[in-house]
Amino acid sequence: MDYYQTLGVARTAEDFVIKAAYKALMKAYHPDKNKGFEEKVKQINVAYETLSNPSKRAEYDSELEVNTDESSFADSPFSDDLEERLQNDWAVIIDYYPEIEECRLSLKCYSNSLSTNFVLVILETKNVKNYSAIANSLKSDFLKSYFGNNQCINNLAEQLLKRRLRDPLLEINKAVRFFGNNIETSRIIERLKHKFPEISFNEFSDEFIEIDEVLKRIIVKIQNGNAKQDDLKLLSLRLGFKPALTVGFFKNSWRIEDLNKRHWSFSNDNDFQNFLIKQYKIKFP
């Protein structure tokens, strides 16, 4: 029994999301109100007892890391049910912010539990203005939890998730768990082509290999001292940063922000280059 699936949440769920899921499920299946769900309630309590305790959760996560199998990508049987129980509250949200529902549906393409996490976070925090940043953060954490920190591998996995190609995703997960972030995206794609000849990976190959090589070339330029400002712009965008609306990229001054609206300012190219190299090493160890 996967405790995360039992509560209908993703493995990256924060503590308050796990608590919110537990409360919603217990309200739905409490034996005082509903008969015949005693075994389900027992499973929910066992799962919550472990996941609500930081040390027990850490130990459980370690066991999951070792024993990951195809069930890792299985959608929780509780996710849709949990969302149904939250439907009335969610309806209030989308009455005022209908665009949020489109965002939820896009997350559901990746995983039911990811969609449920999004619903729970929005309902608990009421932070509707930043729904897009919340969705991106949840998606990023979800991808990293299964496919590591390599952005190119995450991009590949994201496309496969959208197409519901589970077997190639399991192969990527296996490779990342064995090699960590040291394996190149191009090698993974070649392995996928060999193992799954019935699936066309040509549409992925050029894009992700090109990204790998372009970023490597820019890093070499920086290290050799001949990187141009256009190189720095491209590298920062590839690493997930964008110009802040107030300033952007101008002359030798740089101001950027990430998906969570965190800002960085640099008064010269050298400081900005050092920052980009550091971020590159974090994303591509």
Side-chain angles (χ1 to χ4, degrees):
M1 179 175 65
D2 186 319
Y3 292 159
Y4 290 101
Q5 290 187 20
T6 298
L7 295 184
V9 298
R11 294 184 183 179
T12 53
E14 296 184 48
D15 292 342
F16 78 92
V17 172
I18 290 173
K19 184 176 181 179
Y22 173 74
K23 287 167 58 180
L25 287 170
M26 287 303 295
K27 183 179 179 181
Y29 296 111
H30 198 283
D32 290 344
K33 297 181 180 180
N34 299 283
K35 301 298 181 182
F37 293 108
E38 289 78 9
E39 185 60 31
K40 186 174 288 189
V41 169
K42 182 180 178 180
Q43 293 175 4
I44 293 170
N45 280 322
V46 169
Y48 183 68
E49 181 183 355
T50 296
L51 298 185
S52 62
N53 183 303
S55 58
K56 288 184 178 180
R57 183 180 180 182
E59 184 178 349
Y60 179 71
D61 285 347
S62 297
E63 293 175 1
L64 279 183
E65 185 68 23
V66 173
N67 299 313
T68 298
D69 57 22
E70 62 183 72
S71 66
S72 304
F73 300 104
D75 281 323
S76 165
F78 286 94
S79 292
D80 284 336
D81 192 23
L82 180 54
E83 284 194 14
E84 185 177 340
R85 303 293 176 176
L86 299 169
Q87 190 172 3
N88 289 339
D89 289 341
W90 187 246
V92 177
I93 296 287
I94 61 178
D95 278 346
Y96 288 89
Y97 296 88
E99 63 274 20
I100 292 183
E101 175 65 0
E102 183 178 345
C103 187
R104 183 192 70 82
L105 292 173
S106 70
L107 292 176
K108 202 174 184 69
C109 292
Y110 299 90
S111 161
N112 287 346
S113 61
L114 186 56
S115 168
T116 304
N117 274 27
F118 178 67
V119 170
L120 287 166
V121 170
I122 295 296
L123 289 177
E124 285 293 306
T125 65
K126 305 298 190 295
N127 189 7
V128 291
K129 291 183 179 179
N130 293 316
Y131 76 89
S132 182
I134 291 171
N136 285 327
S137 178
L138 289 172
K139 182 176 71 174
S140 176
D141 290 343
F142 175 83
L143 291 169
K144 288 177 181 178
S145 70
Y146 289 113
F147 308 109
N149 295 318
N150 185 311
Q151 188 62 52
C152 292
I153 294 176
N154 280 186
N155 290 343
L156 173 60
E158 185 175 354
Q159 296 303 314
L160 294 172
L161 278 164
K162 288 179 179 178
R163 292 171 55 180
R164 298 287 183 174
L165 296 173
R166 299 292 182 176
D167 289 340
L169 287 165
L170 285 169
E171 184 66 26
I172 297 174
N173 176 261
K174 182 176 72 174
V176 170
R177 285 190 295 119
F178 187 86
F179 293 104
N181 295 306
N182 295 316
I183 188 167
E184 305 95 323
T185 314
S186 55
R187 286 189 180 272
I188 289 180
I189 292 176
E190 288 305 310
R191 172 61 179 163
L192 295 179
K193 286 181 176 180
H194 176 75
K195 189 168 183 179
F196 307 103
E198 72 280 7
I199 300 174
S200 174
F201 293 98
N202 292 331
E203 61 192 273
F204 301 122
S205 303
D206 292 340
E207 177 184 355
F208 295 113
I209 293 173
E210 179 185 354
I211 291 175
D212 273 344
E213 295 305 318
V214 167
L215 297 189
K216 288 177 182 177
R217 285 198 294 269
I218 293 175
I219 293 298
V220 170
K221 283 185 178 181
I222 292 175
Q223 293 170 338
N224 292 337
N226 58 2
K228 299 179 180 178
Q229 289 200 345
D230 282 347
D231 294 322
L232 303 184
K233 291 178 185 178
L234 178 58
L235 178 57
S236 63
L237 291 170
R238 293 294 197 191
L239 291 175
F241 300 99
K242 64 178 181 179
L245 296 177
T246 51
V247 181
F249 304 116
F250 292 107
K251 297 183 179 179
N252 293 327
S253 179
W254 305 84
R255 180 173 167 81
I256 59 172
E257 65 180 30
D258 65 7
L259 292 172
N260 295 317
K261 303 297 183 183
R262 293 178 298 182
H263 295 85
W264 290 265
S265 297
F266 307 92
S267 59
N268 59 75
D269 285 354
N270 188 56
D271 289 344
F272 188 44
Q273 289 173 4
N274 290 335
F275 172 82
L276 292 177
I277 290 177
K278 181 179 179 181
Q279 295 301 313
Y280 178 83
K281 289 180 178 178
I282 291 173
K283 289 204 171 188
F284 306 98

